[in-house]
Amino acid sequence: MIAEIGEPVDVSVVFRRGKIRPVAFEWRNRNYRVSRITGTHREMRGQFLSLHYLVMAGGSDVYELSLTTDGMVWKLNKIHWAEGEQEPGSRPGTAGFPVGRGHEGRRGTGGGTEGRRP
Amino acid sequence: MSNYARHGLMQAADLKPGTPERPGERCVVHLDMDAYFASVEQRDIPMYRGKPLIVCHTASDFRSHGIVATCSYEARRWGVKTGMSVWEARSRCPHGVYVHANISKYLYNTRRIVDICRSYTPLTDVFSIDEVFLDVTTPALESGGREGQWEAALDIGSRLKGDIRRQLGLSTSVGVGPNRLVAKMAGEFEKPDGLTLVTPDQLPEILAPLPVDKIVGIGRRMKRNFDAMGVQTIGELAGTPRGILQRRFGVVGTLLHQASLGVDQGRVGYCDEEDTVKSFGHSLAMSGTTDLDLLRNIILGLSEAVTRRMRRDGYLGRTVNLRLRIGYAMGYSRAETMEDYTDLPSRIHRAACRLLEREASLGVWPEKITCVGVSVSSLKPSRERQLSLQDWRDPREMRITEVQDRLKDKYGDGVIMRASLKEKFALSGMNLIR
Ligand SMILES: [Mg+2]
């Protein structure tokens, strides 16, 4: 299933050897730590460059993030999630964990991926 | 199993030592991405791997509208095919995963594939968004000499496959042969992930027994013609006097006769060089159509793309060239020279449509049109522009084009387009295949 999101998100990135790698993002007051980048591509639209990242955050969901140099805005464009699960964002325990608890709080709160699937 | 010739019709050991020298014999590699769009999506979104994945072309809700752009091999087992309506695909494969085509993503991957190809030889032709021809004669001769030329070409094909798999995680089918036609046919023998060589020696023996529609570009229409003539195999086609084919198929007859012998005189990697300086051109490859309205519309999009580049580089032109490809490799072109020099899309579009309509009325298309190209030549710098009477009386098109150019420069070519071109031009690899 695919959810069209199109919302601005806060993204933490690492700049390394001329490349940008997102490591975490915050969406709807939850933090998602990027566990894997499955694909990237870039595209020029006029004078603006946009960078696209497909990332996973611990579970099987894939998040499509993009950065455009038009305003330097990061967006979460889409989420792909497995059939038979609740839509991301409406789940009580998603791959993300509430902002402010810190990464170490993830396991204990049931907000991590472990609490999500039977 | 040796690294090369893994799926080869010919194993390296079968190569005859001391094959007689044939001056000018070329080694051509044809690269075809397997289920391209679907493979890119399955690579990027792991949960779609092993599932019937259907990539759709449509601007709106793909539950009801649109066509199948590509589907994964898992979906093909359910009878889903490229070009089928999404509606029909859904009835055949209701449990499939349906996603929108993301052309800019595929173009990005194609550019990287082409870069990999160019690391082997500068002589490359991008044939469509997922197909590239490479002329590897020089590197093959350098590493294998005349005797080991084919073995070396097969090895290049194998390394190319490996590079694309390692760097991009995508699977390809590669055919190797003495020209584009044979290389492409060789590649068709084994898919997916195939590597097949057909040498000139093997040609007659391999081609003759094949059904005639194995020649790339011969589809149902031409097949019916051949049925009526009693021609079933490529061998029988080769035995048909050329004059008969010419009377029946016009221009295409000669090409068909050559194709039946495995002859294709087109060269790889030269068309770009010849074209760039003297003309501006764009072409669009498609699955095949004879719908004149659609073709006119495509020509409009091409005219806009061509004139935009002319305006950017500061040129006016007055000879319009329309190139049509029928089936595969059966291409020809027609030209018209206008009175005035122009860089406006409507003039180019009108001239190209006149050429199209004339060709259509001659009824010489035995198969569907698979590629349309528009180019403009007889150029002069725009600073020598003389306002034509028409533009002086009605400068609206000039003004609106100028505003559009400014918008596109800033926000990209997709920011504004004619309503009639919406959807169609998102589909294309047009910007890649100049
Ligand atoms: Mg393909």
Side-chain angles (χ1 to χ4, degrees), chain B residues 32-36 130 191:
Chain B
D32 186 359
M33 304 306 295
D34 298 325
Y36 185 40
D130 78 328
K191 277 183 174 181

Side-chain angles (χ1 to χ4, degrees), chain B residues 238-255:
Chain B
T240 309
R242 185 151 47 145
I244 293 180
L245 293 172
Q246 276 166 341
R247 270 199 297 282
R248 190 136 189 162
F249 299 105
V251 213
V252 174
T254 317
L255 293 163

Side-chain angles (χ1 to χ4, degrees), chain B residues 152-210:
Chain B
L154 200 56
D155 186 48
I156 290 172
S158 167
R159 281 190 285 141
L160 193 60
K161 279 168 69 72
D163 286 351
I164 293 172
R165 177 173 294 283
R166 254 190 320 278
Q167 294 181 36
L168 297 173
L170 297 169
S171 143
T172 53
S173 291
V174 167
V176 185
N179 56 46
R180 296 177 309 170
L181 177 77
V182 175
K184 187 167 161 80
M185 286 175 75
E188 300 281 331
F189 277 111
E190 177 133 17
K191 277 183 174 181
D193 202 23
L195 175 61
T196 312
L197 165 69
V198 175
T199 64
D201 294 333
Q202 298 168 300
L203 261 182
E205 160 197 355
I206 286 177
L207 288 187
L210 292 176

Side-chain angles (χ1 to χ4, degrees), chain B residues 368-389:
Chain B
K368 291 182 174 177
I369 304 292
T370 57
C371 186
V372 187
V374 171
S375 62
V376 179
S377 52
S378 314
L379 305 173
K380 70 170 188 181
S382 332
R383 61 185 135 74
E384 294 171 23
R385 182 197 300 269
Q386 285 175 320
L387 212 54
S388 71
L389 194 60

Side-chain angles (χ1 to χ4, degrees), chain A residues 30-74:
Chain A
R30 277 180 181 274
N31 262 328
Y32 295 78
R33 197 201 314 235
V34 173
S35 55
R36 196 176 147 199
I37 298 173
T38 55
T40 61
H41 68 279
R42 54 172 61 202
E43 133 190 49
M44 282 305 290
R45 285 203 185 136
Q47 50 183 246
F48 302 112
L49 170 69
S50 54
L51 302 174
H52 298 259
Y53 297 86
L54 287 100
V55 305
M56 298 174 85
S60 62
D61 297 353
V62 174
Y63 302 84
E64 293 193 25
L65 297 170
S66 69
L67 168 70
T68 167
T69 55
D70 184 4
M72 297 306 282
V73 179
W74 277 96

